[in-house]
Amino acid sequence: MTSEITLFVNPTAGSGRGARAAQPAASALREAGFSVRTVLGEDADDALRRAREAVAGGTGALIAVGGDGMMSLALQAVAGTPTPLGAVAVGTGNDFARALGLPVRDPAAAGRLAAEALKGGKLRAVDLGRVGERWFGSVLASGFDSRVNDRGNRMRWVGGRFKYDLAILAELAAFRPIPYRIRLDGGPVTEIEATLIAVGNGSTYGGGMRICADAVMDDGLFDVTVVGDCSRTTLLKVFPKVYKGRHLGHPAVTVHRVSSIELAAAGVTAYADGEPLGALPLTATCVPGAVRVLAA
């Protein structure tokens, strides 16, 4: 393995934490004997192109510095390759790193962990979801939650988990159940009315909401959480339980474990890892061991 490591940096992540985090992470890697180069981009497309060039050039690891959006970009570069992926999680949500038990908002600790994992060969093969050519690591959201995500992303004046709480309240005013058509593992098409359907490779989204609380990232399966048709009052009672994963016991909630799912609904945009994925319909497939992560 080459001793050159690539830091893939989003300087604007977490209100500027990305830029500040790169230095202590790089210092920890250099102290461990690694050569570090930094990759930034003029925009997301340019950053991804540069990351793919680093991977194709044989970098020893690609370490994403930022939040879940940066991790999502990094996944597009390393998925299906032998290049290990590291995380210096300093964004707003950090759900991918949190699911893997990696340091959050501690760039020096994240750098040290990455260095130790590289030296000790501590790599964990984890699954990824795939929709067309797009990979995701945590949760694919569709329905009420994706609309909350969309609204939350527009709330530039407030940060952290609180903005998602505000977005939930705002979206409740326009809430209507959504007619879905779903197919699980190539079985029959089922028509249901639901509030949301979340497809979890990881367990959380939105900065710690445990929507797919029992999802395991290396079992080869998605956990699909379906919140059925319910009233605004019921939704207000159930949704706060998402932070502890206690919503899974509610009679309006069902969970399926599948390797693939087809989702269709009119007027619904899916999000994956907090980033817009596109309008339904779509097919998501769980790809076992699609990426090797620098782990503790």
Side-chain angles (χ1 to χ4, degrees):
M1 176 183 292
T2 177
S3 64
E4 183 182 85
I5 306 304
T6 302
L7 284 186
F8 187 38
V9 181
N10 178 0
T12 64
S15 300
R17 283 192 298 269
R20 296 191 296 272
Q23 186 55 50
S27 295
L29 287 159
R30 290 190 178 107
E31 287 170 5
F34 292 98
S35 172
V36 179
R37 66 183 290 254
T38 300
V39 168
L40 300 94
E42 296 177 2
D43 53 31
D45 289 340
D46 183 57
L48 178 55
R49 178 184 62 78
R50 293 170 185 255
R52 283 175 168 158
E53 287 175 352
V55 170
T59 187
L62 185 70
I63 300 179
V65 183
D68 285 321
M70 203 61 177
M71 289 303 302
S72 178
L73 271 183
L75 288 176
Q76 312 315 308
V78 300
T81 78
T83 302
L85 174 66
V88 178
V90 291
T92 301
N94 305 310
D95 289 293
F96 188 78
R98 184 179 288 108
L100 292 167
L102 301 177
V104 172
R105 296 184 184 173
D106 189 342
R112 289 192 297 270
L113 183 148
E116 291 167 4
L118 284 165
K119 285 192 165 184
K122 296 178 180 178
L123 305 178
R124 179 182 174 187
V126 300
D127 309 334
L128 295 177
R130 189 168 190 177
V131 177
E133 296 301 311
R134 177 84 169 268
W135 299 89
F136 67 93
S138 297
V139 177
L140 185 157
S142 74
F144 179 76
D145 49 0
S146 63
R147 290 171 179 169
V148 167
N149 204 329
D150 188 42
R151 184 179 289 271
N153 287 344
R154 298 195 303 267
M155 290 181 172
R156 305 293 184 185
W157 47 275
V158 63
R161 197 175 78 178
F162 182 57
K163 75 175 178 180
Y164 291 100
D165 295 334
L166 291 177
I168 287 168
L169 294 175
E171 284 299 317
L172 277 170
F175 169 71
R176 296 289 187 279
I178 298 167
Y180 283 91
R181 296 185 305 281
I182 67 172
R183 186 196 301 266
L184 304 176
D185 281 339
V189 174
T190 303
E191 296 186 358
I192 61 171
E193 289 208 341
T195 301
L196 64 87
I197 298 178
V199 182
N201 182 57
S203 57
T204 69
Y205 61 13
M209 296 182 184
R210 297 180 57 79
I211 187 67
C212 300
D214 296 328
V216 178
M217 296 184 76
D218 56 5
D219 64 353
L221 297 172
F222 291 133
D223 276 30
V224 178
T225 300
V226 179
V227 179
D229 182 6
C230 56
S231 68
R232 290 184 180 87
T233 300
T234 299
L235 190 56
L236 277 170
K237 290 179 180 178
V238 172
F239 217 86
K241 297 180 180 180
V242 170
Y243 291 107
K244 298 292 185 181
R246 295 174 182 165
H247 62 296
L248 298 183
H250 193 278
V253 178
T254 56
V255 176
H256 309 273
R257 290 191 171 89
V258 300
S259 59
S260 68
I261 180 171
E262 298 174 34
L263 285 173
V268 175
T269 297
Y271 276 70
D273 295 340
E275 300 296 312
L277 183 61
L280 301 189
L282 60 76
T283 299
T285 303
C286 184
V287 182
V291 65
R292 300 191 306 161
V293 178
L294 301 176

